[in-house]
Amino acid sequence: MNGSIRVGNLFGIPFYINVSWFIVLALMTLSYGGSLAAQFPQLGLGLPFLLGLIAALFLFASVLAHELGHSFVAIKQGINVKSITLFLFGGLASLDQEAKTPAGAFWIAIAGPLVSLLLFLGFSLMGSYLTLAAPLTALINLLAYVNLALAVFNLIPGLPLDGGNVLKALIWKITGNQYKGIVFASRVGQGLGWIGILLGFLPVFISGGYPNFWTILIGWFLLSNAGVLAKDATIRNQLSEFTAEDALVDENSIVSQDISLRTFVNDYIIGKTANRQFLVTNEVGELVGQISGDNLKPIPTSQWPLISVQTVMQPVEFSTTIDAQQPLLEVVNLLEQQQLTEVPVVRNGVLVGFIEKASIRRLLEKRLQANPA
C-alpha cells in the first residue's frame, strides 16, 4: 500500500503502518480524551488525553489482532501472508493467493471477526469483575464495545469486508465458481457503498444540516474497492474459460531452422510487422533458437539464398515454457509472478507458438465483442 512505513515483523509477517493511521490515531486520542475529560473532570487536563492515547493504541492493537486472526488461519492452509498494514479504515492482511476451497475461504474470512468477538468478551469480563478506578473501567468498557462494533461492521455481507468474503465463499460453494462468488459479493459491496454515501448526505436533504463525512468516506471506500474486485474477478473468470492455446499470437511466428534466409525474408519479413521475433524449431518441432530481421543485417543479401536460419539464429532466452492445455489464468499468473512479456507454448514437446500479453488482451477483446454486456 502506497504511503506505508514498515515498522518490523510480527510472527515473520512484514508489518506496515500507513500514514493515514496517524491521522486517525490523533482524532481518536482527542475524541476519547475529550470524552473522559467531560465524564471525569477530576482527572485534570493532561491525564484524560493520555488515557485517550492508550485507548486508541489498544484499539489499533485490537485491529492488528483481528488481522492476525485472518493471517494465522491462512498460514495454516499453506498460504503465505505478504504483509499486514494498518491504515485509515482499519487493517489489511495481504495474502499471496486465494484459498483453494470455499471452506478455506470461509474460515480465513470469519477468523478476524471471531478474534474481535473474543476480545469483546475478554474486555467485558475485565470491566465486570476487576475492581479498577472508574476512568480505567470506562476505558475497558469502551474497548469491549469497540471490538464488538469491529466484529459486527466487518460481518456486513459485502466485499471488501469480511462478511463479503463469507458471502463469496457461500456463492462459490453453491455455484462451484470462485469468481462468480467474488463478483456477486463485490456487487453487494458496491450497493452498500452507495447506501452509505446516500445516508451520509441524508441530513442535508432532511433538515439542511451537515453531511456525515465519515459515513460518506466509508461508503466511498466500499464502492471503489468493491468495484476493483468485481472487475478483476470478471476478467479472471473469463481467463479461466480458456487454455494457453487459445491465446497464441495470431501471426505465424515459428520458422524451421533449415530454410534459407531468402525464404525467411520472403515468407516472414516482407509485408509483415516490423521488428518481430520468430521462434526457430528443428526437424521434430523442438524449440532451438530465435531470430529476427535484425539478425540478417550483417549478412550481404547475395548470401541469403546460401545461408540457413540455423546459421544466424540466436540462443533461446526463454527459461519457461507452457503446455498448450494449461489454463490461461495460470499463464497470466505466471507472467505476473515472473514478470515475463511472452512465453513459448508446446504440445507434447513440440512448439506450437507463443503467448504475449497483447495476444491475451486481444482474446478478451474478441470475447467481449462476441458477447457484449
Side-chain angles (χ1 to χ4, degrees):
M1 182 177 290
N2 294 332
S4 296
I5 304 166
R6 182 165 179 172
V7 294
N9 293 302
L10 289 169
F11 305 99
I13 304 170
F15 176 43
Y16 294 85
I17 292 178
N18 188 264
V19 291
S20 62
W21 177 84
F22 294 98
I23 299 172
V24 180
L25 178 66
L27 291 174
M28 288 183 173
T29 299
L30 292 173
S31 175
Y32 296 163
S35 175
L36 288 171
Q39 190 175 358
F40 304 101
Q42 69 272 22
L43 294 177
L45 294 177
L47 188 55
F49 292 99
L50 176 60
L51 292 174
L53 174 61
I54 293 172
L57 290 174
F58 266 104
L59 169 60
F60 279 107
S62 298
V63 173
L64 182 58
H66 179 108
E67 297 305 322
L68 285 172
H70 295 305
S71 301
F72 289 154
V73 175
I75 292 171
K76 190 174 181 180
Q77 295 181 24
I79 298 172
N80 180 51
V81 181
K82 295 188 291 186
S83 65
I84 293 177
T85 304
L86 295 183
F87 66 109
L88 177 64
F89 294 104
L92 175 66
S94 178
L95 310 182
D96 70 346
Q97 60 179 297
E98 291 278 351
K100 296 179 176 61
T101 65
F106 170 82
W107 286 114
I108 292 174
I110 203 66
L114 287 177
V115 169
S116 296
L117 288 174
L118 287 174
L119 288 173
F120 161 70
L121 292 174
F123 282 122
S124 295
L125 291 173
M126 288 173 61
S128 299
Y129 293 101
L130 293 181
T131 303
L132 300 170
L136 292 178
T137 301
L139 189 149
I140 289 173
N141 288 334
L142 173 65
L143 291 172
Y145 286 103
V146 164
N147 274 282
L148 178 62
L150 184 64
V152 172
F153 175 74
N154 273 281
L155 286 173
I156 294 174
L159 284 173
L161 300 175
D162 297 335
N165 281 302
V166 171
L167 178 61
K168 175 196 75 176
L170 177 62
I171 300 301
W172 181 4
K173 179 67 175 179
I174 294 172
T175 65
N177 187 313
Q178 175 186 11
Y179 302 105
K180 287 183 178 179
I182 296 174
V183 170
F184 184 87
S186 296
R187 298 305 183 201
V188 174
Q190 286 179 299
L192 293 171
W194 280 117
I195 291 172
I197 292 172
L198 292 174
L199 288 175
F201 282 108
L202 202 58
V204 179
F205 300 119
I206 292 178
S207 60
Y210 294 102
N212 187 322
F213 290 107
W214 275 111
T215 304
I216 294 171
L217 201 57
I218 292 172
W220 172 83
F221 170 77
L222 291 174
L223 181 64
S224 58
N225 282 276
V228 171
L229 291 171
K231 183 178 180 180
D232 180 73
T234 299
I235 293 173
R236 290 182 177 276
N237 186 45
Q238 292 173 348
L239 290 171
S240 67
E241 299 175 2
F242 296 104
T243 63
E245 195 169 16
D246 295 319
L248 294 176
V249 172
D250 293 335
E251 299 179 77
N252 189 6
S253 57
I254 303 175
V255 299
S256 170
Q257 65 178 7
D258 298 323
I259 65 173
S260 68
L261 297 184
R262 169 54 62 192
T263 300
F264 170 63
V265 170
N266 290 345
D267 293 349
Y268 295 90
I269 300 296
I270 296 176
K272 304 296 192 304
T273 304
N275 301 321
R276 287 183 56 215
Q277 193 76 29
F278 298 85
L279 304 179
V280 182
T281 59
N282 59 19
E283 62 277 1
V284 295
E286 296 174 335
L287 177 63
V288 293
Q290 57 188 1
I291 189 172
S292 69
D294 291 339
N295 299 133
L296 279 61
K297 290 180 179 180
I299 303 173
T301 56
S302 60
Q303 297 295 311
W304 286 0
L306 307 176
I307 300 176
S308 69
V309 165
Q310 182 179 15
T311 304
V312 298
M313 69 182 184
Q314 301 299 309
V316 180
E317 298 179 357
F318 299 109
S319 59
T320 303
T321 58
I322 296 296
D323 186 86
Q325 294 304 309
Q326 188 166 345
L328 187 56
L329 180 57
E330 293 182 8
V331 177
V332 171
N333 291 334
L334 179 69
L335 292 175
E336 292 176 349
Q337 291 169 4
Q338 299 190 14
Q339 298 182 340
L340 303 173
T341 57
E342 58 185 25
V343 62
V345 179
V346 299
R347 186 195 303 113
N348 298 324
V350 176
L351 184 71
V352 295
F354 71 92
I355 290 176
E356 58 184 14
K357 291 182 177 179
S359 66
I360 296 173
R361 286 195 297 269
R362 286 193 294 270
L363 176 64
L364 294 179
E365 288 169 359
K366 289 180 180 178
R367 170 66 180 271
L368 182 61
Q369 292 171 0
N371 301 284

